[in-house]
Amino acid sequence: MDIVRTLRLVSLAEATSFLLLLIATAVKYGAESPQGVQILGPVHGTLFIAYCALVILARGRTGWDGRRTLLALVAGVLPFAPFYVERAWLRPVVPEQG
């Protein structure tokens, strides 16, 4: 599988897991039910590390300069930003199939 396609998939998974973790955290403190955080915490952590590693590894393939790479890394700590990275910065890099 192409590294940019892998980064796109991991970007979406990381952003989704982050949002689910935020919901699980609210449930943890609102309903005193920590199970969601106990499950989603490690899943999100693994996806976050994979996202950061793939951003660095895919830098050459995407043609990103240092600034864009740094912004993509910072996007990993913002709840909706990896969705933007996937949609606006990664989707045009994938070659047309046809």
Side-chain angles (χ1 to χ4, degrees):
M1 181 179 280
D2 179 46
I3 193 162
V4 174
R5 182 175 167 85
T6 303
L7 176 55
R8 286 182 62 203
L9 293 173
V10 170
S11 178
L12 293 173
E14 192 274 338
T16 303
S17 73
F18 193 0
L19 294 175
L20 292 173
L21 183 59
L22 291 175
I23 293 167
T25 301
V27 170
K28 175 183 176 181
Y29 291 107
E32 297 182 14
S33 180
Q35 293 84 3
V37 173
Q38 291 171 345
I39 294 168
L40 288 170
V43 171
H44 171 69
T46 301
L47 288 169
F48 175 75
I49 291 169
Y51 172 80
C52 291
L54 286 168
V55 164
I56 293 168
L57 291 172
R59 180 181 177 194
R61 173 72 170 82
T62 59
W64 291 349
D65 60 6
R67 181 176 179 269
R68 171 79 44 111
T69 302
L70 181 61
L71 287 172
L73 288 169
V74 169
V77 299
L78 302 172
F80 293 99
F83 288 123
Y84 176 81
V85 169
E86 188 278 331
R87 175 65 66 168
W89 296 352
L90 291 172
R91 191 165 287 197
V93 173
V94 178
E96 293 292 324
Q97 302 271 337

